[in-house]
């Protein structure tokens, strides 16, 4: 199996982060890349650099207003006297139906869901290359590879069509799914990250051609709080094409695999022609977020179960934070998926 990653993805180095209101170091560190690269190589993957795919595949799921904001907001922010070193919002609209603000501060509040996605000088470029890794992996699968891995960093599944959030700017999983749609009539996205894939859900919520399924820690007391509940089922033509499977905090392998079986049953009934796995490794028992208790062998079982779907599969890296087993967990997942056969 091939892995895709570009060095530019490492330059984004966010500093600011608030945890329950308290300033903490941002956990979405560039060092994650080294661990994940080592984990991919241990599973026998070869790492290639993606090509520059331009804005087209990204603009297919994000609004032009938002992409223009992401590209230029850092430069504009620097012109504000006394502003923070990174772009961080401090005011948000209660509803988004009103007028679009002209000011950088207003637009930051409009396009950023929370304070966990600070934008620095390198963010736009890193996010572009992260998305292009996803595009390249989708192209490889469309061309006939059974599977491909996109080492996407910064991650993407909390990014909506026009809103950043939770370390995410461009929704790489959505970009990959949309790219697969060029050749596949129906695509499923299976999100196994600790956190609900709210941005991905939002992008496809009214669409019946992309099924979104997410397993995650119950948002009733966990990020992203406002999304990820079982009664969110899609809307309009997309009603019935979104499935959320929230799990009680600290759920381990058995509960996770049971929910995964339900997810796979729904995916089979949708009969997709391709699959995107939004692969967060932060459901790990030793992850700093501490939300669920999946073990390293558990990730191998998750990979095996997904391989059982028998679908062309693009794996898109989402969360998973610095801990000793981060690389091993990726190796376990990819080995379970059967990377040696691909
Ligand atoms: Zn996560």
């Amino acid at each position: 199996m091939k892995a895709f990653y570009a060095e530019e993805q490492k330059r984004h180095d966010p500093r600011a982060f608030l945890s329950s209101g308290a300033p903490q170091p941002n956990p979405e560190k560039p060092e994650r890349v080294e661990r994940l690269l080592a984990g991919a190589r241990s599973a026998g993957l070869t790492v290639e650099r993606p090509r520059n795919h331009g804005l087209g595949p990204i603009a297919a799921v994000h609004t032009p207003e938002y992409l223009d904001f992401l590209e230029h907001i850092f430069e504009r922010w620097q012109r504000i006297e006394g502003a923070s070193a990174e772009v961080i919002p401090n005011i948000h609209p209660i509803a988004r139906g009103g007028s679009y603000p002209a000011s950088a501060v207003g637009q930051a509040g409009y396009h950023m869901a929370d304070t966990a996605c600070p934008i620095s000088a390198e963010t736009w470029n890193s996010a572009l290359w992260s998305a292009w890794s996803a595009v390249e992996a989708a192209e490889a699968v469309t061309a006939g590879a059974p599977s491909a891995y996109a080492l996407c960093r910064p991650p993407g599944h909390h990014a909506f069509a026009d809103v950043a959030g939770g370390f995410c700017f461009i929704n790489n999983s959505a970009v990959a799914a949309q790219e697969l749609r060029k050749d596949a009539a129906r695509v499923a996205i299976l999100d196994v990250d600790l956190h609900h894939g709210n941005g991905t859900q939002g992008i496809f919520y009214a669409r019946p051609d992309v099924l979104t399924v997410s397993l995650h820690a119950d948002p009733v007391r966990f990020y992203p709080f406002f999304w990820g509940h079982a009664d969110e089922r899609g809307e309009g033509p997309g009603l019935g094409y979104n499935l959320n499977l929230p799990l009680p905090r600290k759920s381990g392998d058995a509960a996770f695999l049971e929910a995964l079986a339900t997810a796979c049953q729904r995916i089979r009934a949708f009969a997709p022609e391709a699959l995107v796995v939004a692969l967060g490794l932060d459901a790990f028992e030793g992850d700093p977020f501490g939300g669920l208790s999946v073990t390293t062998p558990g990730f191998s079982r998750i990979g095996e179960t997904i391989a059982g779907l028998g679908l062309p599969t693009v794996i898109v890296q989402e969360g998973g934070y610095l801990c000793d087993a981060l690389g091993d967990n990726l190796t376990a997942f990819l080995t379970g998926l059967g990377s040696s056969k691909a």
Side-chain angles (χ1 to χ4, degrees):
M1 193 198 300
K2 284 181 182 173
F4 296 100
Y5 164 74
E7 278 298 321
E8 286 87 345
Q9 294 174 229
K10 216 176 145 180
R11 293 186 191 154
H12 168 65
D13 188 4
R15 301 302 165 102
F17 182 62
L18 292 177
S19 181
S20 303
Q24 301 284 346
N26 192 301
E28 209 285 278
K29 295 187 190 310
E31 191 187 341
R32 295 177 62 236
V33 164
E34 304 306 330
R35 311 279 185 98
L36 294 167
L37 279 174
R41 289 190 173 112
S42 292
L45 275 65
T46 52
V47 182
E48 292 183 13
R49 181 180 169 80
R51 287 166 295 145
N52 175 334
H53 290 271
L55 271 188
I58 299 165
V61 297
H62 289 287
T63 65
E65 196 173 67
Y66 175 61
L67 294 177
D68 187 62
F69 164 82
L70 281 184
E71 181 174 1
H72 299 293
I73 188 61
F74 179 76
E75 185 191 331
R76 295 168 59 202
W77 199 259
Q78 301 316 297
R79 296 199 288 266
I80 304 172
E81 197 178 336
S84 55
E86 299 174 305
V87 180
I88 302 167
N90 56 263
I91 180 166
H92 303 275
I94 292 171
R96 302 181 77 239
S99 61
Y100 185 70
S103 84
V105 172
Q107 288 179 13
Y110 188 90
H111 287 301
M112 299 167 88
D114 52 48
T115 56
C117 46
I119 293 172
S120 65
E122 299 290 349
T123 303
W124 171 242
N125 199 38
S126 288
L128 281 177
W129 283 100
S130 186
W132 291 333
S133 288
V135 174
E136 198 85 21
E139 281 193 351
V141 166
T142 297
S147 54
Y149 170 64
L151 200 173
C152 292
R153 188 274 164 185
H157 74 150
H158 296 308
F160 287 75
D162 66 352
V163 180
F167 314 144
C168 301
F169 306 92
I170 296 172
N171 194 314
N172 308 304
S173 291
V175 167
Q178 189 64 35
E179 189 67 23
L180 289 168
R181 274 285 289 110
K182 287 180 179 172
D183 202 56
R186 289 177 308 284
V187 175
I189 303 177
L190 172 59
D191 190 318
V192 297
D193 189 280
L194 164 66
H195 304 93
H196 174 243
N198 54 336
T200 315
Q201 170 177 301
I203 287 170
F204 297 110
Y205 207 53
R207 284 174 53 173
D209 58 323
V210 178
L211 174 73
T212 45
V213 180
S214 181
L215 284 70
H216 46 266
D218 194 332
V220 71
R221 292 184 186 278
F222 205 69
Y223 187 92
F225 301 103
F226 307 112
W227 303 272
H229 304 278
D231 59 355
E232 296 159 23
R233 304 177 55 246
E235 67 183 9
L239 186 64
Y241 293 87
N242 184 74
L243 176 63
N244 286 331
L245 297 164
L247 294 160
R249 287 286 291 277
K250 300 291 180 189
S251 291
D253 292 348
F256 199 95
L257 289 164
E258 193 182 327
L260 185 61
T262 303
C264 288
Q265 189 179 348
R266 180 66 61 92
I267 290 168
R268 282 194 180 92
F270 178 64
E273 294 169 9
L275 176 71
V276 173
V277 179
L279 178 66
L281 296 164
D282 43 3
F284 179 54
E285 58 182 351
D287 187 272
F289 278 97
L292 293 173
S293 301
V294 173
T295 66
T296 300
F299 283 110
S300 189
R301 295 279 304 281
I302 292 167
E304 285 168 21
T305 304
I306 292 170
L309 289 167
L311 291 166
T313 300
V314 176
I315 301 134
V316 175
Q317 186 65 49
E318 297 288 357
Y321 300 92
L322 291 180
C323 57
D324 288 345
L326 180 58
D328 293 341
N329 290 339
L330 179 59
T331 306
F333 174 86
L334 292 169
T335 305
L337 193 77
S339 58
S340 57
K341 285 178 281 182

